[in-house]
């Protein structure tokens, strides 16, 4: 029994749609990871989502155009939805939680030298800041005295 070329082509399109759905949700998981690491305002989240869905629509259209000559078929939409659903059920939680955990640990380790440097420089910088403030206050008073003398000299003319 031989499978026709048309059926094989449709199976290929279904597989591409399935993978596209999983890929789209993976890209959205990357957005979710970034949002957990960096605080976002509500309008920024909205803009990110808008850009994501526009990009998703364009990617889906490109896949349909390449694989199926641009024809929208029900099984293609079902394949995308099934790919998203299975990725969400099987991998999404692990990808987001694991990535956030690892990235937080990496950022913690990378930030340690900066924390140590800040602790080392805290006392000298505080001392220098106090001396600079005292110096600036003294010269401000001196400049005020000079300015007062200049104003008096100008009024006598």
């Amino acid at each position: 029994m031989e499978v026709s070329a048309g059926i094989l082509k449709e199976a290929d399109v279904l597989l591409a749609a399935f993978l596209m759905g999983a890929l789209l949700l993976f890209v959205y998981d990357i957005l979710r990871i970034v949002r957990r690491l960096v605080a976002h305002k509500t309008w920024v989240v909205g803009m990110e989502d808008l850009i994501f869905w526009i990009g998703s629509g364009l990617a889906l259209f490109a896949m349909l155009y390449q694989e199926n000559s641009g024809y929208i078929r029900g099984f293609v939409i079902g394949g995308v939805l099934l790919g998203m659903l299975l990725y969400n059920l099987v991998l999404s939680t692990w990808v987001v939680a694991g990535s956030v955990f690892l990235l937080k640990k990496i950022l913690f380790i990378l930030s340690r030298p900066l924390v140590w440097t800040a602790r080392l420089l805290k006392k000298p910088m505080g001392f220098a800041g106090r001396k600079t403030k005292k110096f600036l206050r003294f010269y401000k008073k001196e400049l005020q005295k000079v300015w007062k003398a200049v104003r008096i000299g100008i009024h006598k003319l």
Side-chain angles (χ1 to χ4, degrees):
M1 187 161 119
E2 199 173 304
V3 180
S4 73
I7 297 292
L8 287 176
K9 179 64 179 164
E10 287 185 357
D12 186 38
V13 171
L14 180 62
L15 179 64
F18 179 82
L19 293 175
M20 178 61 74
L23 178 68
L24 289 176
L25 211 54
F26 175 74
V27 171
Y28 194 75
D29 277 351
I30 292 172
L31 272 175
R32 290 174 53 200
I33 291 166
V34 170
R35 288 176 186 165
R36 288 188 184 183
L37 292 174
V38 180
H40 285 66
K41 294 188 181 229
T42 306
W43 69 270
V44 174
V45 171
M47 290 302 295
E48 287 174 346
D49 283 345
L50 179 67
I51 292 168
F52 169 77
W53 286 111
I54 290 171
S56 296
L58 292 173
L60 205 55
F61 175 76
M63 186 269 305
L64 282 172
Y65 187 75
Q66 181 181 9
E67 296 291 329
N68 204 24
S69 300
Y71 292 114
I72 299 175
R73 307 279 303 267
F75 73 90
V76 173
I77 294 171
V80 171
L81 292 175
L82 185 64
M84 288 178 139
L85 179 68
L86 285 177
Y87 175 83
N88 191 39
L89 292 175
V90 176
L91 293 174
S92 183
T93 304
W94 294 96
V95 168
V96 173
S99 297
V100 168
F101 176 79
L102 284 174
L103 288 171
K104 280 186 177 181
K105 292 296 180 190
I106 289 169
L107 289 173
F108 177 79
I109 291 169
L110 292 176
S111 69
R112 288 294 93 193
L114 294 174
V115 171
W116 296 331
T117 304
R119 285 182 185 160
L120 284 173
L121 295 176
K122 187 175 181 180
K123 276 191 177 180
M125 292 304 286
F127 176 77
R130 286 189 300 275
K131 291 297 179 184
T132 302
K133 196 180 281 185
K134 188 175 180 181
F135 174 78
L136 291 174
R137 239 181 314 186
F138 171 76
Y139 278 102
K140 180 181 176 185
K141 287 179 185 176
E142 292 300 314
L143 284 174
Q144 285 173 340
K145 290 178 190 176
V146 169
W147 178 245
K148 188 176 182 182
V150 168
R151 278 194 338 211
I152 291 172
I154 291 174
H155 283 290
K156 286 185 176 180
L157 293 175

